[in-house]
Amino acid sequence: MDKVTGKKRVSVKPTGDPAVDGFLDYMLLERGSSINTVLAYRTDLVYWMKFCDELGNTYYPVLPETQARYLRRLEKDGMSSATRMRRAASLSVFSKYLVYDGVTDGAPLLGPLPKREKTLPQVMTEGEIERMLSSCEAGGEGVIKAAVALRDKTMIEMVYDCGLRASEICSLRLRDLDESGGLIYVKGKGGKERVVPYVGTLRNAVKKYLAEARPVLAGSKVETDALFLSSRGRMMNRVALWGIVQKHGRVAGISRTRLHPHVLRHSFATHLQRRGMDLRTLQELLGHASIATTEKYTHLDTELRDVYDSFHPRARVDKGT
């Protein structure tokens, strides 16, 4: 416990190398990176350390020729271009830190990062989402089961209707809801806050969840002010939300490859963009730092329309008719 802030200290399990551990502490405590970001750095650097151990090399300085062999190994191991790019980027940041901290004299000029493959996000159809929501209504008998079913339906509907990330919906507190105004105050990546409206059926669902389900899940002893609670009255986490989407998605007959909370967020963005929402507004709702990230939904919608034009018998009108 920190005596100054009164909060629990956040730490990362040591790797055994003082320079690597110093880098992780620096990113967490001095740069203010999130614990998830630092854990990702740790994973990447531990993989690098194992690679160096196999070669009998030291972990630093990071030399270009060793980096090139490392990237070839990552590709050989079947890692995606996105993962390879991230691990190469982690190595680059670590190399610069070594110079900053005086561990090495100068950062070698490392090779270019692997090119990231352009992949379009997967989405669900509006009908699939409706089927998933309907599957929550068959929650089974018993007060707890009914409360869990209502919670599941409300969470799925909120992720889709508001385009929230899994971490964002799980971290929502009661105070983040403006029930009278129909607004949700969401803390996104980097602690940035945005305001997202919740209206229509979702607003009614949230009201019903708060009145009927949450008190049952909280029980007699309220340990948290989290908006969504587990059956034991604790804050929900991303793994639990993933399980909810998996469970009800299977009942709805949706392909397992698309049963992830982030697909609901992609579906939210795609459906709004298809209905004509401008990219700037969509960017604000999604909490994207760059408009370029939001533009991928334009490409996705174009691809969907191309497929529609290719297969639907009434999509094209012959010239001269």
Side-chain angles (χ1 to χ4, degrees):
M1 188 73 70
D2 192 299
K3 294 181 180 179
V4 178
T5 63
K7 296 181 179 180
K8 184 179 179 181
R9 284 198 187 101
V10 179
S11 60
V12 178
K13 184 180 178 181
T15 63
D17 183 88
V20 175
D21 294 337
F23 166 71
L24 298 175
D25 285 342
Y26 167 76
M27 296 302 296
L28 182 66
L29 304 175
E30 293 189 43
R31 290 290 298 273
S33 299
S34 71
I35 185 65
N36 288 333
T37 297
V38 177
L39 289 174
Y41 275 127
R42 186 188 186 282
T43 299
D44 294 342
L45 292 176
V46 165
Y47 202 92
W48 162 256
M49 292 165 70
K50 289 179 179 178
F51 173 76
C52 290
D53 287 340
E54 290 178 14
L55 295 181
N57 289 2
T58 57
Y59 306 145
Y60 41 83
V62 181
L63 301 176
E65 56 269 24
T66 311
Q67 182 214 29
R69 292 185 65 179
Y70 177 61
L71 294 179
R72 288 196 295 270
R73 166 64 71 82
L74 295 180
E75 186 173 11
K76 184 180 179 181
D77 289 347
M79 293 188 182
S80 67
S81 61
T83 301
R84 284 184 277 127
M85 185 173 73
R86 193 196 76 192
R87 294 201 162 167
S90 295
L91 212 53
S92 179
V93 175
F94 174 57
S95 187
K96 292 175 182 177
Y97 161 80
L98 294 173
V99 178
Y100 165 81
D101 204 47
V103 179
T104 58
D105 293 332
L109 183 62
L110 299 180
L113 296 179
K115 291 184 178 179
R116 184 167 186 171
E117 298 169 359
K118 292 184 178 180
T119 57
L120 293 173
Q122 294 188 344
V123 297
M124 294 182 194
T125 66
E126 294 177 40
E128 287 174 329
I129 290 170
E130 289 298 328
R131 293 205 306 272
M132 187 185 294
L133 291 171
S134 297
S135 74
C136 299
E137 296 173 1
E141 299 180 357
V143 177
I144 296 293
K145 287 185 178 180
V148 167
L150 183 53
R151 179 207 62 199
D152 291 357
K153 185 172 186 287
T154 307
M155 290 190 79
I156 292 172
E157 195 165 353
M158 184 174 286
V159 172
Y160 171 67
D161 283 21
C162 301
L164 303 186
R165 299 178 178 93
S167 58
E168 292 172 345
I169 190 169
C170 291
S171 63
L172 285 177
R173 306 281 179 170
L174 292 172
R175 61 177 176 270
D176 296 326
L177 279 186
D178 177 1
E179 294 185 67
S180 60
L183 301 172
I184 304 175
Y185 295 88
V186 183
K187 280 192 177 180
K189 288 185 176 180
K192 294 181 180 178
E193 188 176 79
R194 68 183 189 277
V195 181
V196 180
Y198 72 105
V199 294
T201 57
L202 174 59
R203 194 167 181 177
N204 294 332
V206 170
K207 186 177 181 180
K208 186 175 182 181
Y209 164 76
L210 291 173
E212 301 177 14
R214 192 180 183 282
V216 173
L217 297 174
S220 58
K221 185 179 180 181
V222 180
E223 298 179 352
T224 176
D225 65 342
L227 175 59
F228 292 106
L229 303 177
S230 69
S231 58
R232 296 184 178 182
R234 298 172 183 169
M235 175 184 280
M236 296 287 287
N237 56 45
R238 289 179 293 179
V239 175
L241 177 59
W242 176 83
I244 289 171
V245 174
Q246 287 276 316
K247 173 185 175 182
H248 296 289
R250 286 196 297 269
V251 174
I254 302 171
S255 169
R256 187 169 296 182
T257 59
R258 290 181 290 131
L259 295 183
H260 303 279
H262 220 67
V263 174
L264 290 171
R265 175 174 157 89
H266 290 324
S267 303
F268 158 85
T270 304
H271 296 166
L272 287 181
Q273 198 277 329
R274 194 182 300 163
R275 282 175 165 76
M277 176 173 282
D278 65 279
L279 286 179
R280 286 294 177 188
T281 303
L282 189 56
Q283 178 188 6
E284 289 294 322
L285 291 174
L286 290 168
H288 286 159
S290 169
I291 190 70
T293 308
T294 315
E295 285 176 342
K296 65 185 177 184
Y297 296 106
T298 304
H299 303 312
L300 176 62
D301 194 50
T302 301
E303 183 180 82
L304 288 173
R305 290 180 187 277
D306 287 344
V307 172
Y308 176 86
D309 289 343
S310 299
F311 288 95
H312 199 286
R314 296 179 61 83
R316 296 179 180 180
V317 178
D318 293 334
K319 293 181 179 180
T321 60

